[in-house]
Amino acid sequence: MRSHPERPYDWVGAWSEKRAQLSPEKVGLVDETTGERYTYAELDRRANRTARLLRAEGVTGDGEGDGERVAVLSRNRPELVDLFFATAKTGGVLAPLSHRLAAGELVEMLNEVEPALLVVEEPFADLAARILDHEACGFDCSVLALSADDADDSASASSESASDSSAIAAEPWTDALPDDDSPVETADASMDDPHLFLHTGGSTGVPKETVLTHGSILWNSFNTITAWGLRPEDVTPMVFPMFHTGGWNVLTVPMFHLGATVVLAREFEPSEVLHLVESEGATVLVAVPAVLRMMTHHDDWADTDLSTLRFAKSGGGPCRESVMEAWWDRGVDLSQGYGLTECGPNNFTMPDGWPREKADSVGVPVMHADARIADGEGEELPAGEIGELELASPHAADRYWRNDEETAETFGDGWVSTGDLARRDDDGYFYIEGRKKNMYVSGGENVYPAAVEDRIADHPKVEEVVVVPVPDDRWGQVGMAVVQGDESLTLDELTDFLDGKLARFKRPRHLAFVDEMPTSGPSKIDRQAVKAEFGEE
């Protein structure tokens, strides 16, 4: 899958080497958990050691554009950065996996990935043991164990997964790691060669592995830097997990590209993020809406110095207006972003001096990306009409790994089909209206839950809300509002509140409460779980 197989470029896999040459003494990575700070020169030396380890384990390029894979079950830690830089050097592929998934799901994914090496952090040794002992396990590879280096690793991992590394027969990472940190020869790699496998959210079925090439990673970084105005002096806390596209492509790789500073930790609570913004002088913050909301509700919110933040971005779902206003009141330019594993994920930006009345939008396309709204036949719709959002950019992923049918459906015609409904206004701003599969029809009218949820979330008794369809004898389907918040809220009270804000057919006819919304990722609400419990399939 190479554009120029006869002309490999030495710089394609030289992320850490090039940055170490350009800014050797600049701190590129801060490990908040241990307090260690790593310069780019140190990160390159660590990458060289890790590259030698990978080559010893057979994690290299195969000469045909599909390198050998290293799979990882771990929280955020410097070794994942080492593996990113090292697989770039060797021509291998990094495939981080969610430790939140069940053993059966991970077995199916690993059978497809076929790793040459599996790296397991100590808190997930029991989970790894169940994977390796599973009757469906069809892969065979070396296993290395990363020791937990935080004070209370069992508290961080789930009770199901927490353990010591004796649960698996694995050589310790530190024992396998060579001492030689001198420069290594980089592989003959093309921009079209894979570098990352990142799996989708998996709301239905087993998650698919999305193939991100060296080129798509670089183009997303370039688009992010130019569209968001990132700078070498920027500092950001990385609150997304590194098994998620947010953990790499939202800010980490663009920051490394520039020689900026990324702060990571095994776990990040909203209070810790507030502390880090002040203690590290963070200049950029990107988080999911739930984290941004929890920060505003924390006791330290009013007293935390946020003056170093140039801007903040919300991603992973709609951000409520009340949350945005809380950040604006503190002088922070908060706006919404949009992306997905299959494309970007940084596809839109807010123009200079954007008006607050556009806050519900995700902005306009970045420099090197196109966006359109299409009908069911793939024809572009005019401004104001709702259809499927489609994206095109050199930062799009290449394909789904070993899944030709899904690849053709999502990437088939040069446009990435997002599965999200959206509209474009006359000024070129795009608005996300929700997932195609979440839309329902009530009395012949299309209802988009995201728009309904935005209005319900303005009620002071509502913290989070998901609207799901339920059967109705008269209208076919009506909405049920599933609320996390004050359970004294009544349906009549909510209906009165929505009067004049939503059309009658959009207003929920049923109300239910949960103590806490289920999540399916980095604080991302699991809508399918809510629908399975309260709605209709």
Side-chain angles (χ1 to χ4, degrees):
M1 300 245 337
R2 297 186 175 188
S3 298
H4 302 286
E6 75 285 356
R7 186 183 169 192
Y9 298 99
D10 291 338
W11 53 266
V12 170
W15 281 91
S16 61
E17 175 187 340
K18 291 288 189 178
R19 183 41 62 190
Q21 290 175 332
L22 293 168
S23 40
E25 300 308 313
K26 178 70 180 295
V27 172
L29 185 69
V30 177
D31 184 354
E32 177 67 13
T33 298
T34 64
E36 295 291 334
R37 308 176 81 86
Y38 302 97
T39 66
Y40 278 106
E42 291 170 325
L43 288 174
D44 187 50
R45 290 194 292 270
R46 290 172 63 94
N48 288 333
R49 296 177 68 191
T50 305
R52 288 186 167 85
L53 182 155
L54 295 184
R55 282 184 167 140
E57 298 290 346
V59 183
T60 62
D62 67 355
E64 300 296 330
D66 286 332
E68 297 296 329
R69 277 78 64 195
V70 51
V72 186
L73 281 170
S74 174
R75 297 167 295 169
N76 292 4
R77 52 187 298 149
E79 286 84 357
L80 271 83
V81 174
D82 299 339
L83 285 165
F84 176 85
F85 288 143
T87 49
K89 290 174 181 279
T90 65
V93 177
L94 177 60
L97 301 172
S98 172
H99 47 74
R100 298 168 181 162
L101 296 173
E105 294 173 299
L106 288 165
V107 166
E108 291 189 54
M109 295 169 67
L110 284 163
N111 284 344
E112 290 298 316
V113 170
E114 289 186 320
L117 174 66
L118 174 63
V119 180
V120 180
E121 190 187 19
E122 186 175 342
F124 310 108
D126 277 349
L127 177 60
R130 292 195 298 276
I131 293 168
L132 296 170
D133 293 340
H134 199 284
E135 61 182 4
C137 181
F139 67 94
D140 183 27
C141 67
S142 301
V143 183
L144 295 178
L146 286 169
S147 63
D149 49 12
D150 45 336
D152 185 10
D153 61 274
S154 62
S156 302
S158 67
S159 59
E160 181 183 11
S161 299
S163 71
D164 61 65
S165 58
S166 62
I168 52 174
E171 182 180 6
W173 172 272
T174 51
D175 291 352
L177 197 64
D179 293 328
D180 187 355
D181 62 6
S182 62
V184 298
E185 182 180 355
T186 56
D188 290 344
S190 160
M191 295 291 281
D192 293 331
D193 287 345
H195 185 195
L196 277 176
F197 281 6
L198 295 175
H199 54 75
T200 59
S203 58
T204 58
V206 176
K208 302 182 290 290
E209 291 289 353
T210 309
V211 179
L212 275 67
T213 65
H214 288 270
S216 61
I217 294 167
L218 183 146
W219 270 105
N220 176 76
S221 178
F222 186 66
N223 270 330
T224 306
I225 290 167
T226 55
W228 292 4
L230 299 183
R231 306 169 183 173
E233 60 269 24
D234 277 331
V235 178
T236 190
M238 180 40 56
V239 301
F240 293 99
M242 285 180 157
F243 57 75
H244 187 275
T245 186
W248 293 106
N249 292 319
V250 169
L251 276 180
T252 298
V253 175
M255 290 295 220
F256 289 157
H257 201 168
L258 279 170
T261 304
V262 176
V263 184
L264 55 75
R266 306 304 167 270
E267 304 288 338
F268 265 145
E269 295 297 327
S271 59
E272 293 175 285
V273 181
L274 281 172
H275 165 72
L276 281 173
V277 169
E278 183 170 294
S279 64
E280 294 290 341
T283 59
V284 179
L285 174 66
V286 183
V288 296
V291 170
L292 294 169
R293 176 179 57 80
M294 288 187 282
M295 291 172 71
T296 67
H297 290 178
H298 195 274
D299 291 343
D300 295 337
W301 169 251
D303 297 327
T304 300
D305 183 2
L306 305 178
S307 62
T308 58
L309 281 175
R310 292 191 296 109
F311 68 87
K313 282 275 187 183
S314 171
C319 189
R320 310 306 182 197
E321 186 176 343
S322 60
V323 175
M324 300 185 77
E325 288 177 345
W327 283 86
W328 297 341
D329 288 345
R330 292 298 314 276
V332 178
D333 181 18
L334 173 64
S335 61
Q336 302 191 81
Y338 171 87
L340 64 165
T341 306
E342 291 86 346
C343 193
N346 300 328
N347 298 286
F348 296 91
T349 189
M350 300 302 275
D352 296 342
W354 62 276
R356 287 287 185 257
E357 57 265 26
K358 301 289 190 181
D360 286 348
S361 80
V362 296
V364 300
V366 297
M367 280 284 291
H368 302 288
D370 290 330
R372 70 178 187 179
I373 309 299
D375 63 16
E377 304 301 320
E379 296 297 321
E380 186 169 5
L381 293 169
E385 293 196 26
I386 295 175
E388 183 174 5
L389 175 64
E390 296 185 337
L391 301 166
S393 173
H395 70 209
D398 186 60
R399 63 192 188 278
Y400 294 122
W401 179 246
R402 295 176 177 172
N403 194 328
D404 293 342
E405 182 178 347
E406 294 279 2
T407 294
E409 184 174 335
T410 299
F411 303 96
D413 63 353
W415 290 91
V416 176
S417 300
T418 67
D420 285 315
L421 294 166
R423 62 181 171 86
R424 175 179 55 84
D425 69 15
D426 290 332
D427 297 319
Y429 287 75
F430 283 74
Y431 298 76
I432 307 302
E433 301 291 344
R435 296 288 293 172
K436 284 174 63 178
K437 62 186 177 185
N438 292 333
M439 187 199 79
Y440 63 93
V441 179
S442 183
E445 298 282 357
N446 293 343
V447 180
Y448 304 98
V452 180
E453 292 158 3
D454 280 344
R455 296 295 170 261
I456 296 174
D458 291 336
H459 195 287
K461 292 184 179 180
V462 176
E463 295 177 14
E464 289 289 353
V465 59
V466 172
V467 173
V468 297
V470 294
D472 184 83
D473 291 340
R474 181 177 182 184
W475 304 112
Q477 291 177 309
V478 295
M480 172 183 283
V482 181
V483 169
Q484 174 186 320
D486 186 341
E487 295 189 19
S488 69
L489 177 67
T490 66
L491 182 61
D492 286 343
E493 182 183 353
L494 181 60
T495 301
D496 289 343
F497 176 78
L498 295 175
D499 187 28
K501 298 182 175 70
L502 280 177
R504 291 179 62 87
F505 71 87
K506 296 180 182 179
R507 298 176 206 168
R509 302 298 179 95
H510 302 276
L511 179 63
F513 291 92
V514 292
D515 293 333
E516 187 174 358
M517 290 291 181
T519 57
S520 62
S523 300
K524 188 174 183 179
I525 293 174
D526 187 345
R527 300 186 63 96
Q528 293 303 115
V530 177
K531 187 175 181 180
E533 182 173 355
F534 295 98
E536 65 169 4
E537 291 296 335

